[in-house]
Amino acid sequence: MSAVIGTVDDALALVRDGDAVWVGGSGAGHGVPQAFIDALAARFRGTGHPRDLTTVRVVGIGDFADKGFSQLGLPGLARRTIGSNIGNEPGLGALVAEGALEAYSLPQGVLSALCRDMAAGRPGHITHVGLGTYVDPRQTGGRQNARTTEDLVEVVELAGREWLLYRALPIDVVVLRATTADEDGNLTFEHEPILGDSLALAMAAHNNGGTVVVQVERLAARGSLRPADVRVPAALVDLVYVDAVQRQTYATAYSPYYSGELRAPSTGSAPSPLDVRKVIARRSLMEFRRGDICNLGFGISQQIGSVAAEEGVADALTLTVEQGIFGGIPAFGGDGGAGHGYQARLEQPSMFDFYDGGGLDIASLSFAQVDRSGNVNVHAFDDRPRGPGGFVNISTRTRRLCFVGTFTAGGLRVAVEDGALTILREGRHRKFVDAVTEISFNGRLAAEKGQSVKYITERAVFELTPDGLALIEVAPGIDAEKDVLAHMDIEPAVPDTPALMDSRLFAAAPMGLAADLTSKGAAT
């Protein structure tokens, strides 16, 4: 059966009031069918329909301003929204904060795997991911406001242990993006920065009586696409429309390096400026070993790839991005989620299979709060609804973890010079607190599993022990009592003389880490 070649208006006509609409893609426009989002928002403003939708995306879709799911922050358009992160969708997040619609934040890898489980007709996704965190139904169950009451997650016991069952969700219309469709509707992704969940979502919709709509950049003649290049077959596709000006991401119109069509020449680049973020990224990189398979989280950790390149150790590591980029250098900033020079571009559910099974040697992830038990909150702070993205999946089974961030927040100013650190103005908000607002990472369970965990800031490094946090390093120029302990709500274990953080972290010249990087599996 061939797909219909139509328009974005034809696609909108397939969406009825009350439907569950899943939108593919990721983050800042990666693989996002933006023309559909534009048209849906415009149609609702003009007619008030379709309304009362359940909108679902595996990864938050937005540019932290007015693109993506922010455009769907229109009262009445949705009665419920589900995703792993709403922080980059402030327009929609404002409605959630007001309690204008129901909202759930579930881990990115859980939603990704759930697409495949729904395709297979399973009752949901059973996993260890999320136990002891905010998404455990004994905590919030992923509910983001008081209006949200239905349980989508439950605790089950199998083989003598606890698991979480994330229930299968309704799926009426799926909207995806590819690069090329032939006249039958076979899809190729040659210009896309990621593959995402496209195949799993198409199968899930098809097998559950839903409709599959796809935005493409161009059309090709029937039979002209190489079968080896087709990632979603025409039999799973109902309608295709063309957006000839679709961008790879919101920030980048097109880069052959992101799509893996070319490798960027090794022209070299100037080292990034030395600032507090680079200090933290450098210190985190010192925990990495030759041969490690790694994940770099959002924010400061994204800079580790460029620091590794500066230090000449990028080739000694296999860096990965949860959207499916395996190897190479992850993109950062507005293009975060993409990568270049990679070994392979995997489908997102497969990448999370690897993470959930403990395939990562190390990950560097952000933190917003840390408490006395070593719990981390990355997703629930200030007054804006947010979400953890892939954080919960990545942190659950990874052998070694670095949680990175500035020691305080809100106006912090520091000087980094002459191999030392000076606090010019302290941040208004403490990040080391008695109890985190919500638990994104459970320190007690991590200690029981034997994970190695460090909490890295610009002025101090802490380590998770069975008894909680221990201060293990302070920066040159920093007084442990005055500059560290006095700005914490907790009392970590403190040695008589904490070790000094490496002075090379605070100097503009390269650190020479290539000579220091130990081999994977070596004693430390």
Side-chain angles (χ1 to χ4, degrees):
M1 180 178 177
S2 297
V4 173
I5 307 299
T7 66
V8 69
D9 288 334
D10 295 326
L12 279 177
L14 298 171
V15 181
R16 301 163 298 178
D17 290 354
D19 272 353
V21 179
W22 293 60
V23 178
S26 171
H30 303 59
V32 173
Q34 183 62 38
F36 177 85
I37 295 173
D38 293 341
L40 175 58
R43 174 73 61 88
F44 183 79
R45 287 195 191 95
T47 69
H49 297 279
R51 63 183 303 108
D52 297 325
L53 303 176
T54 295
T55 57
V56 190
R57 66 285 188 214
V58 170
V59 191
I61 294 174
D63 63 351
F64 295 91
D66 54 5
K67 283 285 189 186
F69 265 47
S70 266
Q71 296 169 256
L72 306 185
L74 303 171
L77 186 150
R79 69 172 186 86
R80 171 180 288 184
T81 192
I82 301 170
S84 61
N85 181 25
I86 203 170
N88 57 344
E89 307 162 348
L92 182 59
L95 287 188
V96 172
E98 294 168 10
L101 74 164
E102 300 172 15
Y104 295 86
S105 174
L106 306 179
Q108 178 179 338
V110 165
L111 285 170
S112 184
L114 185 60
C115 297
R116 194 168 53 195
D117 286 319
M118 289 165 57
R122 301 183 184 111
H125 180 58
I126 297 174
T127 178
H128 55 278
V129 172
L131 282 167
T133 75
Y134 81 102
V135 80
D136 191 311
R138 293 163 292 197
Q139 296 187 29
T140 76
R143 295 181 289 271
Q144 289 194 288
N145 60 23
R147 179 170 179 158
T148 309
T149 58
E150 184 182 353
D151 291 327
L152 299 185
V153 189
E154 62 182 281
V155 179
V156 297
E157 185 170 317
L158 294 171
R161 58 172 288 192
E162 286 187 343
W163 305 80
L164 294 182
L165 168 64
Y166 297 82
R167 297 175 184 168
L169 301 171
I171 183 166
D172 297 307
V173 178
V174 163
V175 189
L176 307 174
R177 191 182 91 187
T179 300
T180 307
D182 68 11
E183 291 172 295
D184 288 329
N186 293 298
L187 305 177
T188 58
F189 290 72
E190 60 271 23
H191 291 172
E192 304 307 313
I194 63 170
L195 298 175
D197 309 288
S198 298
L199 178 59
L201 275 172
M203 287 183 171
H206 180 273
N207 291 357
N208 287 277
T211 301
V212 178
V213 173
V214 184
Q215 173 183 305
V216 296
E217 175 186 331
R218 59 194 182 184
L219 297 175
R222 177 177 289 109
S224 64
L225 299 179
R226 288 198 328 147
D229 295 334
V230 173
R231 304 304 296 253
V232 178
L236 304 180
V237 179
D238 297 291
L239 184 141
V240 172
Y241 69 89
V242 174
D243 177 10
V245 295
Q246 70 181 19
R247 301 171 63 87
Q248 263 186 346
T249 73
Y250 294 139
T252 299
Y254 168 68
S255 166
Y257 310 131
Y258 287 165
S259 57
E261 297 166 276
L262 295 175
R263 287 184 178 268
S266 300
T267 56
S269 58
S272 58
L274 181 62
D275 59 14
V276 66
R277 296 171 65 87
K278 186 171 184 177
V279 168
I280 297 169
R282 280 175 156 181
R283 179 59 187 85
S284 187
L285 181 59
M286 291 177 69
E287 297 295 318
F288 289 48
R289 303 172 187 169
R290 292 185 184 277
D292 274 348
I293 303 176
C294 324
N295 175 272
L296 306 180
F298 190 73
I300 290 173
S301 293
Q302 290 179 310
Q303 195 166 346
I304 291 175
S306 60
V307 171
E310 290 176 18
E311 295 289 339
V313 299
D315 290 344
L317 307 169
T318 300
L319 304 179
T320 69
V321 182
E322 54 265 37
Q323 281 84 348
I325 303 303
F326 209 106
I329 303 297
F332 62 93
D335 284 334
H340 59 88
Y342 45 80
Q343 300 171 22
R345 184 180 58 166
L346 307 181
E347 291 172 348
Q348 188 165 238
S350 295
M351 182 63 88
F352 277 106
D353 286 344
F354 182 73
Y355 290 172
D356 291 354
L360 288 170
D361 297 298
I362 190 168
S364 183
L365 306 168
S366 295
F367 72 84
Q369 293 177 319
V370 177
D371 69 18
R372 64 175 65 252
S373 300
N375 297 324
V376 174
N377 168 26
V378 75
H379 75 276
F381 54 97
D382 62 38
D383 296 326
R384 289 175 51 195
R386 299 176 186 270
F391 179 101
V392 181
N393 295 83
I394 295 163
S395 63
T396 296
R397 288 283 298 274
T398 299
R399 297 171 179 83
R400 307 192 316 276
L401 292 166
C402 299
F403 293 113
V404 302
T406 57
F407 185 74
T408 60
L412 173 68
R413 287 183 55 210
V414 302
V416 183
E417 54 190 3
D418 300 325
L421 189 77
T422 303
I423 310 299
L424 303 178
R425 184 176 67 200
E426 191 58 78
R428 297 184 300 276
H429 307 301
R430 294 188 176 190
K431 297 171 73 172
F432 287 82
V433 297
D434 185 63
V436 297
T437 304
E438 290 186 9
I439 298 175
S440 315
F441 168 81
N442 190 301
R444 177 184 59 80
L445 293 180
E448 290 176 1
K449 289 183 285 188
Q451 289 174 284
S452 173
V453 184
K454 289 188 171 66
Y455 308 82
I456 297 171
T457 76
E458 78 286 351
R459 71 185 76 173
V461 179
F462 302 86
E463 187 171 39
L464 179 65
T465 75
D467 298 319
L469 292 190
L471 175 66
I472 60 172
E473 296 177 22
V474 296
I478 292 298
D479 181 275
E481 184 63 44
K482 177 173 69 74
D483 297 321
V484 179
L485 301 177
H487 300 283
M488 303 175 71
D489 292 341
I490 57 178
E491 297 180 4
V494 182
D496 291 338
T497 306
L500 284 180
M501 295 172 69
D502 195 319
S503 62
R504 294 175 298 171
L505 295 166
F506 307 94
M511 294 180 64
L513 287 183
D516 297 348
L517 209 65
T518 60
S519 296
K520 178 178 175 180
T524 57

